[in-house]
Each structure stands twice: as structure tokens, then as C-alpha cells.
């Protein structure tokens, strides 16, 4: 039975209440120009006010996405300078290290000075407006400083998650031609060290274009420094002037690139621009979390993912909030880490992923009960559908039924949240991201693209542009159009399946393309396949998702070996660690089955539908296998399931 949690005390003092949401949604639908003009004016500080608002079309003939095109602003000035007069001494970032209590507090004034100083360091190292800078860092204050310093001078940052391998890092550096890389000697995660600088050294063997590496001293490990190329961060900033004017940037100037996996080919460099992205991250932070002056906000994501960009750094800082940067993991030193830290830092709003909730739920309520969590007002979820059991535990045990849960649906491509409840306005249903934010026009379409009305299920598309949407794939505008706008002409295709109920609530059902969502992280099946096939003993590989109790989805790989190679447990282990080193630990297959052959159509297409069913353990009804070139393959696969 479906449970409904009506808006309760959350409505008290909320910025947007029930009637407010209805009014704003209708207003944005009726007059997008007027709505976004007002929003952009009141949310951001502009150097040159814009006169144009929306200039967008998703149609092939005049495809364009442009917002506030003649306006000028600077992101760092919006996140720092404009707060100095009113809240210079307020804490901007609370950094919490891997060890509990290893904490650093940085005020807006201090952060402003650090950013200006480092922006001058970037300039001194030849970085100019429009240049790309790659960051490969732990969750340390310097990561935020480096991001904001780039934005201050108009450089484009590209953050690569510290869990990615040297090869993955090298690909991302090459794709966007970065000449400068920022890293740390090592990272610390769950008591273990991550050899970030050593990984950079390996990557740079394939990146001759990189001239400078700036290295933060995080652990003090003994690392190799390349003469003439590598410079310590602390040495570089010493004595540098803390005065650095914020570069006026056009609203449509690139802000950052973030690589994300798709259903085909190499990861795409998702490009976001200055005005639209900042407006979206700032406004959604303010409204979805109903942020109130002085509150402490903790989003547990890493800045290597989009959630870290929008809701650890840009959204909170644009609002003058206090944001927590966490450099640890949920189960270190024990399973009470989140809750103990919430008490110690006085966290009011906590935003994490279903995979973390499920992992902690398995350890029992005792770890939660050790903490008071009195400071908590609101809980959030992001990254994948949250199953009702996990939702209930989060609500009942963590939030003690006091705290609404905002289940926020969005993507790297969308820049920020598109579908989510507003705590003061929306009744909650566990497992549903509920309703679109004002200005967001979701639709469900069938395979032919026909728009489905009412309570129904289909493919989730967005019918019109919103300011925070990505503008292009770096260096490949054609791929941008093909990937997102060609499947259903005139609409942005999300790649997600979705159900809409009779109350107009949206229930995301998961990816409908060849993307697997592992612990809230996107993995393209094609990427894992090409890593496997790169192994000298592998002839062919097919990768699909399978249900996984904690990760949501796990990676199931079918591998055909070269003639003369024999399957063994050793080879299985070797292939798994091969994928780890090719892409990173998150891509390592959870299950790996040696398959004498793969099910293919006569035209040679692998029938993934069948592979998915076998991986799910649902072998009773494999559907129509008559189009297979060799139907016998299926029996072998079923028999060999791992
Ligand atoms: C922010 C982020 C995007 C994909 C997206 C969808 C899934 C994210 C979700 C959700 C159901 C939610 N997803 N949030 N599914 N409910 N609240 O995660 O970006 O890494 O690009 O992933 O994640 O499948 O298409 P990204």
C-alpha cells in the first residue's frame, strides 16, 4: 500500500508552501521569460545586467541553448565577495577529515583570500581565461579553493574523481587539453592511503601537453617531484598577493567540464556554463533544502561527481551557507561515523545516497541510536531510486519521523535538481521524487515518442530548456545533439524510465539505456567491455547490470576467452583487477562468467535483454530467442551462471 506523509512542521517558516509551489509552477509555465528574469536577478549578482533571457530550441533545424546571453558575472564573486560585508566571519566550509574530529573551519573572508591568492598562482603559471585545468584531489579545502580560483579568472576546471585509474585520468586530461594538473601527495579514505601523485605521474606519461603539476601536501608521504614540472601548492602560494579581481564572464562562457559515462564510447565531457549553471545550483539549493540562514549543510558526495560540484560547493556558497566537506567514508572508523559527525558539527540538513543508507541500515539501528541527531531538520537522497525500505529506515530511524526526506532526481547533464519535493509544499511518498520544480517540464513518451498523459509509464524526457542544462559535449557538439535530442525529436531525453501516478507524482524506474548505476555512480557497459577486451586473453565481453542489495546495481560481465585459454578462478580474479586498473575500483565486475559464446542475432548484435535476464536469475522466461544465430548458446549461459 502506498503511504503518504503530508507536509507537517516542515511547512512552518518554509520559503515555499503548498500554494506557493502551485503559483510558481503555473507562473513559470505561463511566462518562462519573466519567471527566469526575476529569478536570475534576485538570485545572482551581475556585473553587466542581461537584457536577453531565454533563447533555446531543441529542434534539429535551429538547435540552440542560451540563457542570459548578454549578461556578465563571475562565479567566485557570487560565491565569496558578495558575502564579505554581511557574513565575512561566518564559516563557509567545515572540513572533516578521514579521522573523526580532524576538522578545519574556513570563514568566507579566509576562503576569499585563499581563492584570490591561488587564482594569482594560476595566472603566474600561465593559465588564461578559457584554459582547462584538471583537478585530481581528495575532499580537502584546496579542492574548493582550486575550483573557485579557476572561476575567478575564467579558467575551465575538469575534476577527475580520485578513484579513477591513471589511464582514465590520462584520457580526461588529453580530451580537454589541460596543461596544468592539481593533485595531492596522497588521499586518505577509510584509513587507507590513495597514491594520487603517483597516479598522476603514470597518467602524465601519456600527456606530454601538461607543463605544470601543483601538489597539495595532505599526508606528508614521500613522493617523487619532477624537476621543472611539479611544484608544491604551499610553496607556490607563499607570499602571493591576495588581491585578484574577478574576471567578468559572459553568462554563456564555459564554467566547467565533468566527464560522465554514457551508453556508448568514451566518457563525455559534459560542459556547463557560467550564468545558467550557477543560477540553477543556487536556486535549487535554496528551495529544495529550504536553506535557512546560519544552518549547517552536509552533502556527503565527492567533488569528483556532479553532486559535489552543485551541492558541496556552488549551491551552498552562492547562498552564503555553511557547507561540510567530508574526506572520509560512512563506515570508518565504524558504522556510526555519519551520525556521530552530525552531532559534533551540528548538521541541520544531511544529503546522501541510497547506497550509503542501505549499507548502514544493514548494520542495525544501534549505531544510529548512539547519537542524538537533534540538530537535523531535513534529509535528502540522490543518485539512484531509493527503495521504500531504505526510505522508511532513513525517515524513522535516522530522522525519527521529524525530518522530511527530499528525494532529488537529476543528472550530471541537468546541472542541478529537476524533480524533488519542496519540504514546505509537497506531501511525500517513499520512493518517489515527487514533482517537477517550477520551470521544469517533464513528459513521459512511448518508444515512438508519443506523449503519454495521466497515470502511465514511459521514457522520461524534458520538453523545454531550463537554465542549468549542459550546453555541449566538449569538442563534440554533434554527439551532444545525437545523444540527447535525436531519440525523441524536439525533447531532451534523460535515459531514464519513469512512472507517473494518478496524483502526478514521478517514480524513476532506472536507466533504460546501457548505463549501469553502481552505488549511485554511472558506468557505461561499453566502457567496461572495452576494458575487458583490452586484456590479451579476452576475445569478447558483454556487460549488463544485475540487482545488488547494497549498490543498487552491480556489474555482471560475460567473457569469452581466446582459443586455447582456459577459464579459472585465478583468471577471473585477474580480469577483475585488470578492470580496476584500467578504469577504477567502481568498474570492477561483481560477477564474471566465462561464456563459450554470447547470444547474438544473425546480424551479429548481442542480445542484452537475454543477458540481463540471466544475470538477474530470471531464467524461466527468456522471451523470444528465435532470432538468435545459435539458440544453443543460451542454455550454456544459463548452466554457467555465477
Ligand atoms: C545527480 C546524479 C544520473 C542518473 C539519473 C538516474 C539516477 C539520480 C535519482 C536517480 C532515481 C533519484 N538518479 N538521482 N534515480 N531517483 N533521486 O546522480 O547524477 O551521476 O549523472 O546520475 O542517476 O538514473 O539518470 P549522475
Amino acid at each position: 500500500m502506498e503511504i503518504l506523509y503530508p507536509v507537517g512542521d516542515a511547512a512552518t517558516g518554509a520559503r515555499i508552501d503548498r500554494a506557493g509551489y502551485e503559483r510558481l509552477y503555473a507562473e513559470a509555465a505561463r511566462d518562462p521569460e519573466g519567471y527566469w528574469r526575476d529569478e536570475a536577478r534576485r538570485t545572482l549578482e551581475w556585473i553587466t545586467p542581461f537584457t536577453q533571457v531565454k533563447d533555446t530550441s531543441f529542434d534539429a533545424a535551429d538547435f540552440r541553448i542560451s540563457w542570459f546571453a548578454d549578461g556578465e558575472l563571475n562565479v567566485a564573486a557570487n560565491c565569496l565577495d558578495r558575502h564579505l560585508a554581511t557574513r565575512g566571519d561566518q564559516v563557509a566550509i567545515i572540513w572533516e577529515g578521514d579521522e573523526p574530529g580532524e576538522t578545519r573551519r574556513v570563514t568566507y573572508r579566509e576562503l576569499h583570500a585563499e581563492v584570490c591568492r591561488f587564482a594569482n598562482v594560476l595566472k603566474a603559471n600561465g593559465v588564461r581565461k578559457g584554459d582547462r585545468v584538471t583537478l585530481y584531489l581528495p575532499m580537502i579545502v584546496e579542492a574548493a579553493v582550486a575550483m573557485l580560483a579557476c572561476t575567478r579568472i575564467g579558467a575551465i576546471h575538469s575534476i577527475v574523481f580520485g578513484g579513477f585509474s591513471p589511464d582514465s585520468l590520462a584520457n580526461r586530461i588529453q580530451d580537454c587539453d589541460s596543461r596544468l594538473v592539481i593533485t595531492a601527495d596522497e588521499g586518505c579514505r577509510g584509513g587507507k592511503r590513495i597514491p594520487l601523485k603517483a597516479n598522476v605521474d603514470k597518467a602524465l606519461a601519456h600527456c606530454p601537453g601538461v607543463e605544470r603539476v601543483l601538489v597539495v601536501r595532505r599526508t606528508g608521504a614521500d613522493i617523487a617531484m619532477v624537476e621543472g614540472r611539479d611544484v608544491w601548492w604551499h610553496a607556490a602560494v607563499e607570499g602571493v598577493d591576495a588581491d585578484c579581481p574577478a574576471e567578468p564572464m559572459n553568462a554563456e562562457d564555459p564554467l566547467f567540464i565533468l566527464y560522465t559515462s554514457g551508453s556508448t564510447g568514451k566518457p563525455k565531457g559534459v560542459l556547463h556554463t557560467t550564468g545558467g549553471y550557477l543560477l540553477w545550483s543556487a536556486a535549487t539549493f535554496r528551495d529544495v533544502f529550504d536553506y535557512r540562514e546560519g544552518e549547517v549543510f552536509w552533502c556527503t558526495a565527492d567533488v569528483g561527481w556532479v553532486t559535489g560540484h552543485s551541492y558541496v560547493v556552488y549551491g551552498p556558497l552562492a547562498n552564503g551557507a555553511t557547507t561540510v566537506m567530508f574526506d572520509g567514508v560512512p563506515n570508518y572508523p565504524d558504522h556510526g561515523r555519519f551520525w556521530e559527525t552530525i552531532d559534533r558539527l551540528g548538521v541541520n540538513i544531511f544529503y546522501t545516497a541510497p547506497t550509503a543508507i542501505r549499507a548502514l541500515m544493514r548494520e542495525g539501528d544501534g549505531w544510529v541510536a548512539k547519537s542524538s541527531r537533534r540538530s537535523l531538520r531535513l534529509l535528502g537522497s540522490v543518485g539512484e531510486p531509493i527503495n521504500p525500505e531504505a526510505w522508511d529506515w532513513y525517515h524513522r530511524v535516522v530522522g525519527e519521523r521529524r525530518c522530511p526526506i527530499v528525494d532529488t532526481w537529476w543528472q550530471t547533464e541537468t546541472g542541478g535538481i529537476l524533480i524533488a519535493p519542496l519540504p514546505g509544499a509537497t506531501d511525500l511518498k517513499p520512493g518517489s521524487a515527487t514533482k517537477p520544480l517550477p520551470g521544469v517540464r517533464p513528459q513521459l513518451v512511448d518508444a515512438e515518442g508519443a506523449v503519454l498523459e495521466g497515470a502511465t509509464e514511459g521514457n522520461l524526457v524534458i520538453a523545454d530548456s531550463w537554465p542549468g542544462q549542459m550546453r555541449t559535449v566538449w569538442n563534440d557538439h554533434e554527439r551532444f545533439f545525437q545523444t540527447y535530442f535525436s531519440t525523441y525529436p524536439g525533447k531532451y531525453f534523460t535515459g531514464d524510465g519513469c512512472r507517473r501516478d494518478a496524483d502526478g507524482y514521478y517514480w524513476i524506474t532506472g536507466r533504460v539505456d546501457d548505463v549501469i548505476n553502481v552505488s549511485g555512480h554511472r558506468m557505461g557497459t561499453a566502457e567496461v567491455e572495452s576494458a575487458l577486451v583490452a586484456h590479451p586473453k579476452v576475445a569478447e565481453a558483454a556487460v549488463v547490470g544485475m540487482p545488488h542489495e547494497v549498490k543498487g546495481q552491480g556489474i555482471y560481465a560475460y567473457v569469452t576467452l581466446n582459443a586455447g585459454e582456459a577459464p579459472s578462478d585465478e583468471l577471473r580474479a585477474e580480469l577483475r583487477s585488470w578492470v580496476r586498473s584500467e578504469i577504477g575500483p567502481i568498474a570492477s565486475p561483481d560477477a564474471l562468467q566465462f561464456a563459450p559464446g554470447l547470444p547474438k542475432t544473425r546480424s551479429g548484435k548481442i542480445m542484452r535483454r537475454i543477458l540481463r535476464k540471466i544475470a538477474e536469475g530470471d531464467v524461466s522466461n527468456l522471451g523470444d530467442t528465435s532470432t538468435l544465430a545459435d539458440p544453443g548458446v543460451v542454455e550454456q549461459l544459463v548452466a554457467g551462471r555465477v
Side-chain angles (χ1 to χ4, degrees):
M1 199 197 61
E2 198 174 272
I3 315 163
L4 189 81
Y5 293 88
V7 174
D9 294 344
T12 317
R15 187 176 284 105
I16 301 173
D17 62 10
R18 211 184 286 267
Y21 168 73
E22 298 297 340
R23 183 173 49 75
L24 293 173
Y25 196 87
E27 215 176 283
R30 184 175 35 86
D31 176 20
E33 288 262 338
Y35 183 83
W36 291 115
R37 179 182 305 114
D38 294 351
E39 275 288 300
R41 279 185 187 156
R42 75 182 178 111
T43 308
L44 303 179
E45 194 175 272
W46 296 83
I47 298 168
T48 310
F50 55 86
T51 63
Q52 302 155 19
V53 179
K54 180 176 190 281
D55 183 20
T56 69
S57 164
F58 291 172
D59 292 326
D62 56 349
F63 181 65
R64 62 190 194 280
I65 302 166
S66 167
W67 287 87
F68 319 113
D70 61 348
E72 288 186 312
L73 73 167
N74 181 277
V75 169
N78 271 278
C79 291
L80 301 169
D81 306 45
R82 69 165 160 160
H83 305 313
L84 294 182
T86 50
R87 47 171 84 93
D89 296 320
Q90 184 200 301
V91 174
I93 296 176
I94 306 179
W95 176 75
E96 167 83 9
D98 193 37
E99 298 298 328
E102 186 188 10
T103 308
R104 179 180 165 199
R105 289 180 156 78
V106 186
T107 66
Y108 273 94
R109 201 179 315 287
E110 290 162 345
L111 187 60
H112 176 261
E114 279 201 42
V115 166
C116 290
R117 204 170 283 130
F118 192 67
N120 281 330
V121 168
L122 291 176
K123 280 197 212 167
N125 281 282
V127 179
R128 301 278 169 265
K129 185 171 175 170
D131 288 353
R132 278 76 59 205
V133 173
T134 295
L135 277 58
Y136 186 66
L137 284 165
M139 279 292 284
I140 51 179
V141 173
E142 286 83 353
V145 171
M147 292 165 80
L148 290 161
C150 285
T151 72
R152 193 161 192 93
I153 63 171
I156 305 167
H157 61 68
S158 162
I159 309 188
V160 179
F161 175 58
F164 278 119
S165 67
D167 268 0
S168 298
L169 173 61
N171 289 336
R172 287 159 170 79
I173 290 171
Q174 288 161 0
D175 186 77
C176 69
D177 274 322
S178 292
R179 281 181 297 140
L180 190 138
V181 175
I182 306 170
T183 190
D185 49 3
E186 293 181 315
C188 306
R189 278 289 157 96
K192 297 198 198 81
R193 301 288 172 95
I194 299 148
L196 295 174
K197 174 61 166 63
N199 286 351
V200 168
D201 290 340
K202 285 185 197 151
L204 294 195
H206 312 286
C207 305
V210 174
E211 293 154 9
R212 177 73 72 228
V213 180
L214 294 168
V215 188
V216 180
R217 182 173 279 158
R218 164 79 174 95
T219 65
D222 189 17
I223 54 156
M225 295 289 277
V226 175
E227 182 77 39
R229 188 195 70 185
D230 304 348
V231 176
W232 287 105
W233 170 300
H234 59 264
V237 297
E238 209 179 278
V240 171
D241 194 1
D243 181 31
C244 175
E247 183 74 23
M249 300 296 289
N250 185 271
E252 283 298 336
D253 278 338
L255 176 61
F256 67 78
I257 300 167
L258 180 56
Y259 287 87
T260 191
S261 295
S263 48
T264 54
K266 288 203 293 183
K268 299 181 284 279
V270 168
L271 184 91
H272 282 287
T273 56
T274 304
Y277 170 84
L278 190 65
L279 173 59
W280 202 262
S281 53
T284 53
F285 173 81
R286 180 192 66 204
D287 295 344
V288 175
F289 301 106
D290 192 28
Y291 183 78
R292 300 168 192 202
E293 191 73 37
E295 285 190 325
V296 176
F297 177 83
W298 181 12
C299 164
T300 65
D302 191 286
V303 290
W305 308 107
V306 74
T307 307
H309 284 64
S310 301
Y311 301 110
V312 174
V313 179
Y314 292 118
L317 297 182
N319 281 280
T322 299
T323 183
V324 175
M325 276 185 94
F326 178 48
D327 202 14
V329 292
N331 58 359
Y332 178 83
D334 58 42
H335 295 100
R337 180 64 189 273
F338 276 172
W339 326 124
E340 179 268 326
T341 304
I342 287 172
D343 278 359
R344 192 157 35 75
L345 304 182
V347 172
N348 305 107
I349 308 168
F350 180 68
Y351 188 34
T352 196
T355 183
I357 297 165
R358 284 192 299 265
L360 295 173
M361 181 171 84
R362 294 212 313 186
E363 304 299 327
D365 301 1
W367 293 106
V368 189
K370 283 185 175 177
S371 64
S372 92
R373 284 151 287 111
R374 228 184 353 251
S375 55
L376 282 180
R377 178 174 69 73
L378 185 68
L379 300 170
S381 172
V382 60
E384 53 175 316
I386 180 166
N387 46 313
E389 298 71 34
W391 195 100
D392 177 69
W393 187 81
Y394 200 26
H395 186 250
R396 184 171 46 80
V397 180
V398 176
E400 294 177 345
R401 297 192 168 92
R402 267 184 303 117
C403 308
I405 296 176
V406 289
D407 175 2
T408 62
W409 176 85
W410 58 295
Q411 311 178 295
T412 305
E413 295 88 338
T414 69
I417 299 163
L418 295 196
I419 304 180
L422 300 179
T426 320
D427 301 333
L428 306 175
K429 295 185 187 184
S432 170
T434 76
K435 300 212 172 183
L437 299 182
V440 175
R441 287 184 49 206
Q443 288 179 341
L444 302 184
V445 297
D446 67 15
E448 280 70 50
V451 176
L452 307 167
E453 303 293 343
T456 186
E457 187 164 344
N459 297 317
L460 179 65
V461 300
I462 312 291
D464 197 2
S465 182
W466 65 101
Q469 106 175 101
M470 73 182 282
R471 298 297 195 265
T472 193
V473 170
W474 182 257
N475 261 339
D476 202 345
H477 200 56
E478 179 57 25
R479 187 172 175 200
F480 175 52
F481 181 82
Q482 285 304 327
T483 307
Y484 302 103
F485 303 93
S486 68
T487 320
Y488 302 110
K491 299 173 198 295
Y492 167 81
F493 179 39
T494 63
D496 280 338
C498 184
R499 177 168 73 82
R500 184 174 51 221
D501 69 17
D503 297 325
Y505 276 50
Y506 289 81
W507 302 72
I508 310 295
T509 52
R511 302 289 304 194
V512 294
D513 54 7
D514 290 322
V515 171
I516 311 178
N517 193 326
V518 188
S519 302
H521 301 316
R522 279 159 65 164
M523 238 13 274
T525 53
E527 259 177 274
V528 185
E529 286 164 6
S530 72
L532 283 165
V533 176
H535 189 281
K537 293 184 180 168
V538 174
E540 199 171 27
V543 167
V544 295
M546 64 169 194
H548 188 288
E549 212 187 310
V550 173
K551 298 179 178 180
Q553 276 191 301
I555 299 177
Y556 194 109
Y558 298 86
V559 172
T560 306
L561 297 174
N562 285 325
E565 300 295 346
S568 68
D569 287 344
E570 291 73 46
L571 183 54
R572 178 179 286 119
E574 183 185 321
L575 290 175
R576 295 186 68 229
S577 78
W578 171 266
V579 175
R580 286 173 82 90
S581 65
E582 287 279 301
I583 305 175
I586 53 168
S588 177
D590 298 278
L592 192 149
Q593 173 174 354
F594 292 110
L598 296 172
K600 291 187 187 164
T601 61
R602 288 191 190 86
S603 64
K605 276 213 173 66
I606 295 174
M607 290 189 75
R608 290 168 183 283
R609 176 178 55 79
I610 293 173
L611 293 177
R612 260 183 232 121
K613 288 238 170 194
I614 297 173
E616 283 165 13
D618 177 13
V619 294
S620 58
N621 174 25
L622 290 174
D624 183 11
T625 55
S626 62
T627 54
L628 285 177
D630 174 11
V633 162
V634 174
E635 276 162 45
Q636 287 175 340
L637 287 176
V638 170
R641 227 188 133 253
V642 290

